[in-house]
């Protein structure tokens, strides 16, 4: 028999047990509600993020997908220097950049003289640039002069300080090509056989190597493109072509100074990397091939070995940046192949829409010209040659007096580390620059 005190104590324990059970049930329900509410917020934010991405894409504000989920915001590049090397798909790349800039009213540093080339045989200098101000109707007021530009795309021999003075804070790109193919293309394009007086030989490209230094000296312009022409365009002095230290130093320097080096043999892949670097759209990198070689010398395996030895500096350059290209592709992630397939799909649409055909016209350079059948503005902008864009740019600008201050002029006597690829402490005279 329990006492009244014991009965009250037992009753309190039973009440406490029931309260504890209710509390546990309430806690479980509360936790489940919290989880449901959190999931709803997460899903809603994902929907908003997706809607924002669609809206941003429709407005062409810049976002890029990295991997499968992470979004990185970026701003489309408009300050660009393209160091156009010879016979490395430079014309196709040049017109892509010119079309982008011209249709957006960007400014271009173009040659002061009526030519698409700044200078073939000496380093770039800002005094070579055609200076202009935009039309009054475009800017309002008097337009105002400018000492800097948005893009530089014409042929020039690389000299970073002078180019930085013209296009500050720019992204730098260039292109390279297998040195054997680049040599063979330059040999035909620059008509080396006739210039070297060996055109009557059965195999002029083979005969050239019976005494290459002798025949090279006979060629006034193309001679600079038959031996290590790519590194020459990129600023390596001819006197250092055979010096392994200078060559490797120059390649390391270029690797540090250029944001992207495209490879001609993997041009489509290179353009996808450029699109990402510039934060551009697929349509911004479309192009129409304009000139196709219709003649090539046969190259035996022995001749191939000889050409590679003759262009050993360019071989090192090409191998380095070919490796760099594939490393960047790997870093791009799985989205690279999706973007590449989409680009190639769009290129097929362009080919079908613009209806091009090949016509043998340029017998001097042994080229077939691609003619345009569809004369729409879209197709004409894709088809226009770099020289055509230069004429348009020059025609639409008003020339003004060149007015760089003396303080802004680069001290050319302190340039040996840029010209040679290695600090030497020696001064560089005007004659040594022009002879290069």
């Amino acid at each position: 028999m329990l006492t009244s005190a014991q009965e009250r104590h037992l009753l309190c324990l039973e009440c406490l047990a029931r309260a504890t059970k209710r509390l546990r049930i309430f806690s479980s329900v509360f936790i489940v509600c919290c989880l449901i509410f959190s999931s709803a917020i997460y899903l809603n934010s994902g929907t908003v993020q997706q809607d924002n991405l669609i809206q941003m894409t429709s407005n062409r504000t810049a976002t890029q997908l990295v991997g499968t989920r992470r979004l990185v915001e970026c701003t489309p590049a408009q300050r660009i220097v393209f160091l156009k090397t010879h016979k490395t798909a430079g014309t196709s790349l040049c017109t892509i950049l010119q079309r982008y800039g011209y249709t957006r009213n960007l400014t271009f540093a173009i040659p002061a003289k009526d030519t698409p080339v700044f200078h073939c045989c000496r380093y770039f200098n800002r005094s070579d640039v055609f200076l202009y101000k935009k039309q009054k109707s475009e800017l309002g007021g008097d337009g105002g002069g400018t000492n800097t530009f948005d893009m530089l795309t014409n042929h020039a021999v690389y000299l970073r300080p002078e180019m930085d003075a013209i296009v500050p804070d720019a992204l730098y790109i260039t292109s390279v090509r297998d040195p054997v193919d680049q040599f063979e293309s330059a040999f035909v394009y620059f008509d080396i056989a006739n210039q070297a007086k060996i055109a009557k030989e059965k195999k002029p490209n083979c005969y050239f190597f019976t005494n290459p230094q002798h025949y090279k000296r006979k060629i006034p312009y193309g001679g600079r493109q038959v031996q290590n022409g790519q590194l020459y365009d990129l600023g390596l002095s001819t006197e250092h072509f055979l010096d392994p230290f200078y060559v490797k130093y120059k390649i390391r320097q270029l690797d540090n100074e250029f944001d992207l080096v495209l490879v001609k043999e993997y041009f489509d892949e290179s353009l996808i990397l450029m699109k990402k670097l510039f934060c551009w759209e697929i349509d911004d990198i479309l192009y129409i091939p304009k000139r196709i070689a219709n003649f090539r010398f046969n190259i035996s395996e022995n001749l191939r070995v000889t050409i590679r030895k003759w262009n050993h500096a360019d071989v090192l350059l090409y191998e380095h940046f070919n490796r760099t290209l594939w490393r960047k592709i790997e870093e791009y992630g799985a989205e690279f192949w999706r973007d590449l397939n989409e680009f190639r799909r769009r290129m097929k649409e362009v080919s079908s829409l613009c209806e091009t055909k090949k016509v043998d016209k340029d017998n001097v350079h042994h080229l077939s010209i691609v003619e345009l059948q569809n004369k729409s503005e879209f197709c004409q902008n894709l088809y226009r040659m770099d020289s055509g864009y230069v004429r348009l740019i020059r025609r639409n600008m008003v020339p003004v007096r060149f007015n760089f201050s003396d303080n802004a002029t680069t001290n050319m006597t302190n340039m040996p580390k840029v010209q040679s690829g290695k600090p030497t402490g020696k001064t560089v005279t005007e004659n040594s620059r022009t002879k290069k």
Side-chain angles (χ1 to χ4, degrees), residues 244-278:
F245 178 81
Y246 274 88
V247 171
K248 292 178 182 178
Y249 187 96
K250 184 63 178 178
I251 292 173
R252 288 197 301 271
Q253 183 188 57
L254 295 170
D255 189 52
N256 290 329
E257 295 182 358
F258 278 79
D259 298 281
L260 177 65
V261 176
L262 294 84
V263 177
K264 195 269 182 185
E265 284 74 15
Y266 305 102
F267 192 59
D268 289 357
E269 292 85 348
S270 297
L271 287 178
I272 297 301
L273 293 179
M274 188 184 79
K275 179 190 75 71
K276 179 183 177 183
L277 174 66
F278 290 168

Side-chain angles (χ1 to χ4, degrees), residues 198-391:
I198 56 175
K200 294 182 179 181
E201 300 297 330
K202 185 176 181 180
K203 297 181 178 180
N205 58 336
C206 294
Y207 193 83
F208 175 86
F209 287 103
T210 60
N211 195 345
Q213 291 292 354
H214 169 71
Y215 294 119
K216 179 183 174 181
R217 286 192 292 268
K218 289 187 174 184
I219 307 166
Y221 176 76
R224 299 180 186 275
Q225 292 302 321
V226 293
Q227 185 179 25
N228 298 313
Q230 298 174 78
L231 260 179
Y232 173 82
D233 286 336
L234 289 166
L236 182 65
S237 174
T238 55
E239 63 185 284
H240 296 131
F241 279 176
L242 302 181
D243 189 320
F245 178 81
Y246 274 88
V247 171
K248 292 178 182 178
Y249 187 96
K250 184 63 178 178
I251 292 173
R252 288 197 301 271
Q253 183 188 57
L254 295 170
D255 189 52
N256 290 329
E257 295 182 358
F258 278 79
D259 298 281
L260 177 65
V261 176
L262 294 84
V263 177
K264 195 269 182 185
E265 284 74 15
Y266 305 102
F267 192 59
D268 289 357
E269 292 85 348
S270 297
L271 287 178
I272 297 301
L273 293 179
M274 188 184 79
K275 179 190 75 71
K276 179 183 177 183
L277 174 66
F278 290 168
C279 197
W280 285 4
E281 303 291 338
I282 290 289
D283 283 2
D284 296 330
I285 60 172
L286 298 174
Y287 68 98
I288 294 176
K290 301 164 186 67
R291 297 184 298 189
I292 302 171
N294 58 22
F295 174 79
R296 286 288 183 263
F297 289 107
N298 291 326
I299 299 179
S300 65
E301 189 57 37
N302 287 338
L303 181 57
R304 183 173 292 273
V305 172
T306 300
I307 294 173
R308 286 176 61 85
K309 184 177 180 180
W310 172 250
N311 291 280
H312 181 65
D314 271 3
V315 169
L316 295 178
L317 174 79
Y318 177 79
E319 290 177 346
H320 175 86
F321 285 111
N322 190 28
R323 291 192 298 268
T324 300
L325 177 84
W326 290 102
R327 186 180 72 243
K328 289 180 181 292
I329 290 174
E330 184 177 357
E331 292 170 353
Y332 195 113
E335 290 297 316
F336 175 85
W337 304 106
R338 181 187 66 80
D339 289 349
L340 180 62
N341 290 334
E342 174 62 15
F343 169 66
R344 287 175 171 167
R345 184 188 69 79
R346 291 287 290 122
M347 286 290 289
K348 289 181 180 179
E349 290 179 354
V350 166
S351 178
S352 176
L353 172 67
C354 295
E355 301 177 9
T356 59
K357 68 175 183 178
K358 189 170 66 171
V359 179
D360 293 336
K361 277 191 173 182
D362 191 346
N363 295 324
V364 175
H365 297 109
H366 301 285
L367 294 171
S368 295
I369 306 300
V370 175
E371 286 193 344
L372 191 66
Q373 305 302 301
N374 184 335
K375 303 298 183 180
S376 67
E377 181 180 3
F378 173 79
C379 292
Q380 289 191 60
N381 283 340
L382 286 174
Y383 177 77
R384 186 174 291 113
M385 292 287 293
D386 57 339
S387 56
Y389 273 113
V390 170
R391 284 193 297 271

